[in-house]
Amino acid sequence: MREFEPTDITRYPTFEDFFTRAHKAGSRPICDADDPSRAVVVADSRVVVFNSVNEAKALWIKGKNFSLANLVMNNDVSDDFKHAAIASFRLSPQDYHRYHSPVQGEVKTYQSLPGDYYQVDPVALQSKVDILTRNRRDYVVIETREFGKVLFAAIGATDVGSVHIYNKYRSAGTKINKGDELGVFQFGGSSIIVAFQYRRIKFDDDLLRLSEQKIQTSVEVGMSLGCATQDLQDRSSPF
């Protein structure tokens, strides 16, 4: 509790207040806070990362119809993320359930989509049900100088009371800094998908290596996720 505010558990009038507790200032330092070319972890969670959606489907997400197009239900958005690299964060009920921006930029799009509340644990994601594209979710697209467009999708799961991106980040043109608190899940498990445009990020080697072995890495808000690529050559699809 020393990492949270208030630290005294008796000051939370309900369990919901405790579940949505806030970090104490300084408890989650932001990696390279002044360097917008470094992306950071968005939640206290377990993460896997993949250089393409196809890799994620081969190793982690087995829903036969999973695609970013089905996740966002918006062709204009999905067209920007063909063959995107993705990071998948899974939160358990014991975790801090606020989530933060991985990058610095400007909100371009916000959308809220209704849905179900399937579990999002690794066993569930290995099923044939397209859980991530059927569950309740909110998403924003953030326009950045370093990474191009970045998709942030907050996905509800079993027992989640709500998925809530804060009102101030629902308007196009709103500025957001790396590490800014973007929204909150109410009670239950939940998941976050962050997608980067093709060849715009190099995920950290340790995260990639473990993800290739189907091993989730325990991470905290503000830790390094990867860096923007400096390669400005042709990014046309190799597929």
Side-chain angles (χ1 to χ4, degrees):
M1 290 303 300
R2 64 181 177 273
E3 298 178 347
F4 299 95
E5 184 62 43
T7 57
D8 181 358
I9 200 169
T10 65
R11 292 180 59 190
Y12 296 91
T14 68
F15 184 75
E16 181 63 36
D17 292 313
F18 170 73
F19 185 80
T20 59
R21 64 197 180 276
H23 279 148
K24 181 185 289 187
S27 67
R28 294 293 185 273
I30 304 302
C31 179
D32 293 337
D34 296 326
D35 181 2
S37 69
R38 172 71 59 180
V40 297
V41 167
V42 303
D44 290 3
S45 57
R46 270 65 52 204
V47 66
V48 286
V49 299
F50 303 97
N51 285 323
S52 72
V53 174
N54 284 348
E55 286 184 26
K57 291 179 69 172
L59 292 170
W60 193 250
I61 303 168
K62 295 301 185 180
K64 60 182 179 180
N65 294 320
F66 173 82
S67 68
L68 290 179
N70 287 338
L71 180 69
V72 300
M73 301 296 289
N74 183 316
N75 289 337
D76 290 338
V77 172
S78 62
D79 284 349
D80 288 329
F81 292 95
K82 290 181 178 178
H83 315 299
I86 67 171
S88 175
F89 301 87
R90 185 176 68 86
L91 291 71
S92 297
Q94 74 269 18
D95 291 319
Y96 164 82
H97 263 71
R98 303 186 185 205
Y99 40 86
H100 298 250
S101 177
V103 293
Q104 171 183 304
E106 182 178 290
V107 174
K108 180 178 177 64
T109 304
Y110 162 78
Q111 183 66 51
S112 180
L113 296 169
D116 300 315
Y117 289 94
Y118 287 101
Q119 294 187 32
V120 291
D121 60 53
V123 174
L125 291 180
Q126 295 287 308
S127 73
K128 295 181 180 179
V129 177
D130 296 306
I131 291 169
L132 297 177
T133 61
R134 289 181 58 172
N135 277 11
R136 166 83 169 83
R137 56 205 183 275
D138 277 14
Y139 70 82
V140 292
V141 175
I142 303 171
E143 184 98 55
T144 78
R145 178 178 178 181
E146 293 75 22
F147 296 94
K149 294 173 183 174
V150 177
L151 170 67
F152 182 109
I155 305 165
T158 305
D159 297 327
V160 165
S162 71
V163 181
H164 184 67
I165 286 177
Y166 296 140
N167 290 341
K168 66 179 179 179
Y169 295 122
R170 297 182 181 188
S171 300
T174 302
K175 304 293 185 183
I176 189 166
N177 293 316
K178 180 170 69 173
D180 280 356
E181 189 177 314
L182 184 57
V184 63
F185 292 113
Q186 290 185 307
F187 181 72
S190 41
S191 181
I192 295 167
I193 293 284
V194 178
F196 295 85
Q197 290 184 295
Y198 179 61
R199 287 188 180 174
R200 295 304 299 263
I201 189 170
K202 181 183 184 300
F203 288 123
D204 290 347
D205 290 338
D206 56 343
L207 299 180
L208 276 172
R209 184 175 62 254
L210 291 168
S211 299
E212 289 169 355
Q213 301 174 57
K214 298 185 180 181
I215 297 173
Q216 300 175 97
T217 303
S218 292
V219 289
E220 294 180 345
V221 170
M223 289 180 172
S224 176
L225 182 64
C227 59
T229 60
Q230 301 303 310
D231 179 12
L232 299 179
Q233 298 176 8
D234 178 26
R235 293 192 177 91
S236 60
S237 169
F239 300 99

